[in-house]
Amino acid sequence: CDLLVRSQTLYPTELRARFEAERNHDFITAGSSAPSTTTLSRATARQPTRATMHETPVSHLEHQQRAPRSVRCAVITISDTRTLDTDTAGAAITDMLRAAGHEVVGRTIVRDDADMVRGAIGRQLADPGVQAIITTGGTGITSRDNTYEAVAAMLDKRLDGFGELFRMLSYEQVGAAAMLSRACAGLISGRFVAALPGSEAAVRLAMDRLLIPELGHLVGEAAR
């Protein structure tokens, strides 16, 4: 009755607040408690949203398990002097890829000339069956070392961690001379490309510690 009488002197919002307060009081008196705003907020926060229901974290191990087991690769040796008979670095890449279950769909040798290097890579990219391209040679700092300039200019995405890791591993073997290597990697048109040094020992290091363990994963991610 008091609420009805006083309602004539209260604004609608005040009247509503009084009504809610008395109603909550009645619930408590009757032995039932009304949920607080804080409780409702916490309960709402615990409910999965449409977005979180579909967001399932995927570990790097799961990515690796989903990666292709066999990758179709092209091998390009960049040298002014080597032939297929004397190209030990290119042969090492080919042998290690095949031993790991990958397929070598092409192998060639081109002179250490930026235009020729770009042309050789472009021809491999034109083949839709090629998923990865690995070059060897021309990553040093002499006047005839042009691979880095040629490859870096073509990259759509750089994979800086590859060169950093390779130089770290190389440092363990050759010391400070590792800084002379400009080995690099990245993506061109959705295909993985790596430029390795011309030394067979350096090639085996990069293949064994970096590329063979991650090649399928790299190609799988590049194609997404």
Side-chain angles (χ1 to χ4, degrees):
C1 293
D2 179 63
L3 180 61
L4 293 173
V5 172
R6 297 183 61 189
S7 66
Q8 299 178 9
T9 62
L10 294 174
Y11 290 102
T13 54
E14 295 173 308
L15 180 62
R16 189 181 300 108
R18 284 293 185 89
F19 178 75
E20 291 292 334
E22 290 198 13
R23 188 180 66 173
N24 290 340
H25 176 73
D26 292 340
F27 278 136
I28 295 170
T29 303
S32 301
S33 59
S36 67
T37 302
T38 303
T39 303
L40 288 172
S41 298
R42 289 175 178 171
T44 303
R46 287 194 295 268
Q47 296 298 319
T49 65
R50 184 182 298 273
T52 56
M53 289 174 66
H54 295 285
E55 291 177 0
T56 304
V58 180
S59 70
H60 73 283
L61 294 177
E62 290 175 303
H63 275 300
Q64 289 176 328
Q65 291 172 354
R66 298 175 184 177
R69 299 301 181 194
S70 179
V71 174
R72 295 183 297 278
C73 306
V75 179
I76 302 174
T77 297
I78 300 161
S79 172
D80 292 335
T81 60
R82 292 183 183 177
T83 66
L84 286 176
D85 291 332
T86 61
D87 179 24
T88 58
I93 294 172
T94 301
D95 292 344
M96 295 180 76
L97 285 172
R98 287 172 174 162
H102 302 298
E103 182 182 357
V104 178
V105 296
R107 182 184 171 193
T108 187
I109 299 177
V110 298
R111 293 181 62 83
D112 201 341
D113 174 85
D115 289 336
M116 295 185 71
V117 172
R118 284 191 291 267
I121 293 174
R123 286 189 291 276
Q124 297 301 330
L125 292 172
D127 182 349
V130 174
Q131 296 173 291
I133 300 170
I134 302 174
T135 74
T136 171
T139 60
I141 60 173
T142 73
S143 61
R144 288 297 299 164
D145 288 325
N146 298 299
T147 300
Y148 176 82
E149 284 76 16
V151 173
M154 299 178 72
L155 294 178
D156 301 320
K157 291 185 178 181
R158 296 169 57 93
L159 194 62
D160 293 328
F162 173 81
E164 293 163 359
L165 285 171
F166 173 74
R167 282 179 282 276
M168 179 194 74
L169 295 170
S170 184
Y171 178 80
E172 297 173 355
Q173 295 187 356
V174 300
M179 74 175 75
L180 275 67
S181 173
R182 297 187 296 161
C184 64
L187 304 184
I188 305 175
S189 301
R191 257 75 70 83
F192 174 73
V193 179
L196 308 185
S199 161
E200 181 184 350
V203 159
R204 290 188 178 278
L205 176 66
M207 294 295 293
D208 182 56
R209 300 291 297 277
L210 299 176
L211 292 185
I212 294 300
E214 285 294 316
L215 188 56
H217 187 195
L218 286 163
V219 169
E221 289 296 294
R224 290 179 60 188

